[in-house]
Amino acid sequence: MSGLKELLKKGLGLGDMAFNAGGGAITWFPGHMAAATRAIRHRLKLADLVIEVRDARIPFSSANADLQPHLSAKRRVVALNKKDLANPNIMHKWTHYFESCNQNCVAINAHSMSSVKKLLEVVEFKLKEVICREPTLLVMVVGVPNVGKSALINSIHQIAKSRFPVQEKMKRAAVGPLPGVTQDIAGFKIAHKPSIYVLDTPGVLVPSISDIETGLKLALAGSVKDSVVGEERIAQYLLAVLDTRGTPLHWNHLNNRRIDGIEYEAEENPEYSLKNLKPKRRNLPNRSDLVYVEDLVMGVQRALYSTLTEFDGNVEDESDLESLIDLQFSALQKALKIPHKASEARLMVSKKFLTLFRTGKLGPFILDDVPNVKPVS
């Protein structure tokens, strides 16, 4: 593909392209979100500090714009969760950006105790001036759906148990892979003297996401239900992002990668569930399952690399890009071993492809571009 690298640029407005925008603006604001938003605004008045959890892959797009005026008026720490799924080469640029805006920011993995402890150190430091004069402190955890708020709450609970003589049995927050798991605002005591309470709140979006690309990024990260947007539309957007960034071109070194180990046939793994990336009816995946996933990922990467390098069009041209994506869907169908005559082949491709992306199997990504920081004069 002649001159492709010179054509690859960011900020192409992929969301505005007809094949991405065809489904219209993305809106997911069920009744419980409206009620939760009102409750959050009311309780924010009482909060001594707010932990705003965002998805590290979309540090800007995962911010609730309607709540920002309320949050910016409070002591706040921005926690960029799922850092294990975010590109580390860009992650530090984002933390630097927030620091340049005088905003405390910590990149975390909510399932890592050491990571959460670093976040709590920042929280405790910011509360020091309040602790000396207040017997009870309130910390609120807020964010859009599926950014990992409840997982963070559960990790804080585990840390609190080891630090403080908490007497009452503490309820664990519900955690799930789907947005909208937490639908009630619940308070949890995590410390004595002073008493510190943490409020875990439901994930809430704005009533209407005006920017289509922001909505697609939220859907890709799992903050909007797939059924609202459609898996095919989300997968199409992901392919557009990968192609215009030239990501598959960086996968060419994987073409010769081989794994020595257990030989298997795909048909011999009927219990394997790609949806959960672990085998059913077994507690842990064995090596054969791991090799199966690795081989599947390698096939997907090779398929996208081949289609992109053989493409003789212009990825900046909407029509050409759409044609390329159609070719890639066919290539992915073969790589993912989906029956050729399956009536819902494209939907099946989309679901499996999105699962690989969301679980980090295709590599770490950050979809938002870091804003330019103006030098201090």
Side-chain angles (χ1 to χ4, degrees), residues 193-214:
K193 297 181 181 180
S195 294
I196 300 179
Y197 287 84
V198 173
L199 285 186
D200 181 26
T201 61
V204 293
L205 294 167
V206 295
S208 179
I209 305 170
S210 57
D211 181 73
I212 291 178
E213 187 151 14
T214 296

Side-chain angles (χ1 to χ4, degrees), residues 50 53 115 122 128-129 152 158 173 230 233 237 242 292 339 365:
V50 177
V53 186
S115 182
V122 176
K128 271 186 177 180
E129 61 185 60
L152 174 60
Q158 295 302 313
R233 186 183 180 193
Y237 172 70
L242 296 177
Y292 174 81
F365 291 88

